[in-house]
Amino acid sequence: MYRLYVANRNYSSWSLRPWLLLRVLDIAFEERRVPFHDAAAWERLRALAPNGKVPCLVDGITVVWESLAIVEYLAERHPGVWPQDAVARAWARSAAAEMHAGFGELRSRCSMSCGVRIRLHETPPALLRDLARVSALWSEGVARFGGPFLADAAFSAVDAFYAPIAFRLQTFGLELPDPEANAYAQRLLELEPMQDWYAQALAEDFRDAPHDAELAASGVLLQDLRVAEAG
């Protein structure tokens, strides 16, 4: 059985991507949590993953790191990871790669934190450009390939790559320019595994100071839905 190493639910957008894909496609795996505050667990991970980061997938003696590589490894072994149609598959891979490498302003200004609600101090042009691009890409995918997901009627890896943005939109109360794009974000949030991830994020009693400092710099905390911090 696969072992997937992930970090804290509340903050770890990179962990969410392969975890969600495995859950939606009903691919069996064992989850190993590596919390940000557990120094010993991170040292053990560094002995396993060459980059010392999550997510990391272990399959017997094979270790796969970086979310794109994990997805492609799974695609070689399981149907449904990418759309079956060649045109849709090419589009989906391009869109996933764009997410993997791009949207820097959205990532930095709107750090993922599932359990809080933030009002941004400002929405600068760079953030608006990122949001407009997300909106256009989501709307194109749903319209071009028939929906309800980005490149097919079925959920695939490209949807997993954009799932953290749905949480970011919820956290920061952001609306996309196209109503269809907002509807797609809501469909992601309503997926049962996304609801499971969210519920577990709210139940975490750990706070990561660097992440929370980023949030404080970006905006005003309106609501904290997480359980009380431990200790």
Side-chain angles (χ1 to χ4, degrees):
M1 183 182 292
Y2 300 122
R3 295 200 312 274
L4 180 69
Y5 290 80
V6 300
N8 305 67
R9 292 276 199 274
N10 187 59
Y11 303 106
S12 188
S13 59
W14 293 105
S15 298
L16 172 59
R17 294 179 172 101
W19 183 94
L20 181 62
L21 183 67
L22 288 163
R23 280 288 307 273
V24 173
L25 297 186
D26 199 23
I27 298 171
F29 70 102
E30 176 187 349
E31 179 184 322
R32 297 286 180 88
R33 193 81 58 90
V34 188
F36 290 128
H37 61 287
D38 189 338
W42 280 101
E43 286 304 316
R44 291 193 296 272
L45 177 68
R46 289 185 181 98
L48 181 67
N51 65 347
K53 297 178 180 179
V54 293
C56 175
L57 184 77
V58 177
D59 181 18
I61 63 171
T62 303
V63 178
V64 190
W65 65 99
E66 288 290 344
S67 52
L68 266 178
I70 292 171
V71 164
E72 293 297 357
Y73 185 81
L74 294 172
E76 293 173 350
R77 289 156 180 78
H78 303 277
V81 171
W82 294 111
Q84 186 174 4
D85 176 76
V87 174
R89 188 166 62 250
W91 186 94
R93 280 188 161 121
S94 298
E98 183 177 356
M99 180 68 253
H100 191 267
F103 302 103
E105 181 69 16
L106 178 58
R107 292 177 191 275
S108 61
R109 191 170 295 271
C110 301
S111 179
M112 185 167 115
S113 184
C114 297
V116 298
R117 300 295 180 267
I118 303 286
R119 182 178 65 243
L120 290 172
H121 293 310
E122 59 177 339
T123 51
L127 177 58
L128 294 175
R129 285 194 295 270
D130 276 358
L131 292 172
R133 175 57 189 149
V134 168
S135 183
L137 187 148
W138 286 2
S139 299
E140 177 193 355
V142 171
R144 183 175 177 184
F145 302 108
F149 294 103
L150 281 185
D152 201 351
F155 183 99
S156 69
V158 66
D159 301 290
F161 265 83
Y162 282 93
I165 290 187
F167 277 135
R168 284 178 162 98
L169 297 176
Q170 177 175 261
T171 292
F172 292 91
L174 298 171
E175 289 283 328
L176 297 176
D178 192 320
E180 180 52 52
N182 289 308
Y184 168 73
Q186 190 60 38
R187 285 197 291 278
L188 289 179
L189 292 172
E190 290 172 358
L191 290 170
E192 183 178 348
M194 286 281 280
Q195 292 286 309
D196 289 347
W197 180 280
Y198 180 65
Q200 292 178 53
L202 296 188
E204 290 177 344
D205 59 8
F206 167 74
R207 305 291 184 267
D208 184 63
H211 279 90
D212 286 349
E214 288 181 0
L215 294 169
S218 293
V220 177
L221 178 64
L222 301 176
Q223 194 175 13
D224 191 338
L225 302 170
R226 298 169 294 180
V227 299
E229 187 174 3

